[in-house]
Amino acid sequence: MSLGQDGPSTRTRMPEGHSAHGGTRRPQPRRALVTVVGIVVLLIAALAFANRGDHPSSPHDDAGGSGGTSGATTGSHGAKAAPTDPTGQRPVQGKSAAGVPAGFAHTDQGAQSAAANYAVALGSADMFNADRRHAIVTAIYDPAVSATLQHDLDSAYSGDALKNLGLDADGTAPSGLTFVSRTVPIGTKVTAGGSSGSGTTTVEVWCTDLVGLAGTGSTKPVSTAWFTITEKLVWAGGDWKLRSSSQKDGPAPVAADNQAASADAIAGAVRDYGGFTYAR
C-alpha cells in the first residue's frame, strides 16, 4: 500500500486485478512449482567449479570486504557477476520483540541483510493477524511513519482482500485448511546511497513467494509469483529501519513441467521446513 510519493508503502495480498492503491493491476502469473531439474544441473556445475583448487577455504575469508569473487563468472564484456557465496559479515544474532532479525551492521551489507529479512516479514502469514502485524510494523519501520502505516494496513488487511484469499474476517483460514504466505529472497542489491556508514540507502530484493490455502477442498491452491521489492531504509535508533517499500513484477524464470504436490504435502512442507535469517 502507499501513503504518497515519499510515504510508506508495503506489499499486501490484494485480490487479483486490484491493487492496494485502489486501481487495477495485471494479475501476477501463478505457477504450480518452479523448476527443479534445471537448478540441479546448474548446481552440479557450480559445485564442480567451486571445488577447484583456487576456491577459498572458507566462505568468510574476506569478512571485512564487500563480498568475495569465488564462484563469480565473467561475461562477454569481462565484467564479473556478483558472487553468490555467503561471503562478508555474518548474520545478526538478535531479534526484535516481533521475532524479526535486528541489529544489522551500519554498512551496505547490513542494509541488504535488513532489506531481505524485512521482505520476509512483510510477506509472511503473520501480517494477516492484527496483533502480529502491529508488532512487525513497529519493529521494522521508522517510527516517523509506522503509526500512520498501522492504520492504513488495518484497512488493507480486511474485507474483500481477505475474502478473495479465502480467509475469514479475522485473517484466519477456514477449518481444515492452512493459509500459506511465505516470501523467499533470491538476491539483493543497493541501488542508491550505497556508501558505507550512510544514513539512508535503497535496496532492491528479488523474491519469489508461496501464497494460498493448502488442504483438502481448497479453492485457493498455493501458487508462486516472482517480484522485486524496492525498500528505502534509514539508520534510526542504531539499526536499519524501513521508510517505504514498493513492488514490481518479475523477473520471472520459465516455468517447468513439474507435477504439482498435493495440498497436504504443501501444508506439511510449509509447517516442517523453517525459514532463515538472511545476510548478504
Side-chain angles (χ1 to χ4, degrees), residues 26 29 31 34 206-208 224-228 249-255:
R26 178 178 62 83
R31 299 177 174 88
V34 295
W206 181 32
C207 304
T208 186
T224 63
W226 292 81
F227 50 92
T228 299
D249 290 345
V254 175

Side-chain angles (χ1 to χ4, degrees), residues 2-122:
S2 175
L3 296 181
Q5 183 175 359
D6 294 320
S9 62
T10 190
R11 183 168 183 263
T12 58
R13 309 292 191 184
M14 302 303 290
E16 292 294 343
H18 296 274
S19 74
H21 301 274
T24 60
R25 64 172 177 84
R26 178 178 62 83
Q28 293 182 340
R30 299 292 183 179
R31 299 177 174 88
L33 287 176
V34 295
T35 179
V36 173
V37 176
I39 292 176
V40 170
V41 173
L42 292 175
L43 180 58
I44 292 173
L47 288 175
F49 179 87
N51 287 326
R52 297 190 315 178
D54 58 351
H55 188 76
S57 59
S58 169
H60 297 287
D61 283 349
D62 71 337
S66 58
T69 58
S70 59
T73 58
T74 303
S76 58
H77 297 288
K80 289 182 178 179
T84 55
D85 287 345
T87 56
Q89 295 158 337
R90 294 180 181 275
V92 294
Q93 300 299 316
K95 291 190 175 183
S96 69
V100 182
F104 299 98
H106 193 187
T107 62
D108 290 351
Q109 290 182 32
Q112 290 181 72
S113 182
N117 284 283
Y118 294 166
V120 171
L122 291 174

